[in-house]
Amino acid sequence: MDEQRLIERARAGDARAFNQLVVTFQGLAYNVAYRVLGDEDAAADATQEAFLHAFKALKGYRGGAFRAWLLRIVTNACYDQLRARQRRPTTSLENLLPDPDLPEPPPVFSDDGEGPEDYALRQELARCIDTGLQTLPADQRIVLVLADMQGLSYEEIAAATDAALGTVKSRLNRARARLRDYLLAQEELLPAKYRLRDA
């Protein structure tokens, strides 16, 4: 069944149709939340809250890009999580260490032809980028994730973040510049093949 038909049926109260929309978009929603929040549990909570809110607000959906509408709800749930963190900061050094009892989650994207060294380098770079993402202000982090990791257009990002098109472009430029500067400052942590070299 196509997306528009599912949306129409879900708006009419069909829970199965809404569940199918959840199945279709849960990976996208969680990925955005995880990249913005940097924490699996917080991302899962934000994703769940977003889908609950979306279910309640579906009757008010007025058409347009459903993905952008849903991501607006997801980003608002992320903002709620970030505000809650600021009110009750709870950073522990133990939380920064990987849990040796938990298996490393499999990568979202993998290349079957990739060798162990290339895989390790890619994972190292991904960790460095994820750490850099967390240094960005939330509004910049969100537009960077939506544009560069999820491939949304400027217009879709504007709809998802309820921001003007010019604001989206400005935030994205600042986010890219800050992330680049962060990565340059952390050059020793980057795998050698990703470091800038003098010409």
Side-chain angles (χ1 to χ4, degrees):
M1 184 178 304
D2 72 339
E3 179 182 306
Q4 198 54 46
R5 181 81 178 114
L6 283 173
I7 293 167
E8 290 168 11
R9 288 181 55 188
R11 287 184 73 194
D14 185 339
R16 286 185 188 173
F18 185 77
N19 286 341
Q20 187 58 47
L21 289 171
V22 171
V23 168
T24 302
F25 290 101
Q26 67 185 355
L28 171 68
Y30 176 81
N31 195 3
V32 167
Y34 177 74
R35 294 292 184 169
V36 170
L37 298 170
D39 178 84
E40 292 175 5
D41 293 334
D45 289 346
T47 302
Q48 183 176 3
E49 286 300 317
F51 278 114
L52 287 172
H53 182 79
F55 183 71
K56 293 174 186 172
L58 197 56
K59 290 191 189 292
Y61 170 68
R62 293 190 170 95
F66 182 78
R67 180 172 74 158
W69 178 81
L70 179 62
L71 287 177
R72 181 175 183 178
I73 295 171
V74 172
T75 57
N76 285 339
C78 290
Y79 277 126
D80 290 344
Q81 290 271 346
L82 292 170
R83 281 191 288 272
R85 273 189 205 169
Q86 287 177 339
R87 286 192 300 269
R88 293 176 271 116
T90 57
T91 302
S92 165
L93 291 178
E94 290 180 10
N95 292 340
L96 299 176
L97 299 173
D99 187 342
D101 298 330
L102 294 177
E104 178 117 358
V108 176
F109 304 105
S110 65
D111 179 3
D112 293 335
E114 184 176 46
E117 184 177 335
D118 287 337
Y119 173 79
L121 289 174
R122 188 170 51 80
Q123 292 298 99
E124 191 176 338
L125 178 62
R127 278 190 294 276
C128 196
I129 290 171
D130 282 343
T131 302
L133 276 174
Q134 296 308 309
T135 68
L136 299 175
D139 58 349
Q140 292 178 18
R141 188 179 332 141
I142 287 170
V143 296
L144 184 75
V145 167
L146 294 176
D148 293 344
M149 296 178 177
Q150 298 303 325
L152 271 66
S153 69
Y154 291 134
E155 292 79 11
E156 289 175 312
I157 297 169
T161 60
D162 194 26
L165 195 59
T167 302
V168 167
K169 291 178 181 180
S170 173
R171 286 177 181 168
L172 185 56
N173 280 339
R174 286 195 305 260
R176 286 173 175 161
R178 281 185 171 194
L179 185 58
R180 180 197 63 229
D181 291 345
Y182 172 84
L183 293 173
L184 288 173
Q186 308 300 320
E187 186 173 6
E188 71 280 353
L189 299 179
L190 289 175
K193 73 186 247 182
Y194 297 108
R195 296 179 189 166
L196 293 177
R197 293 178 179 84
D198 294 331

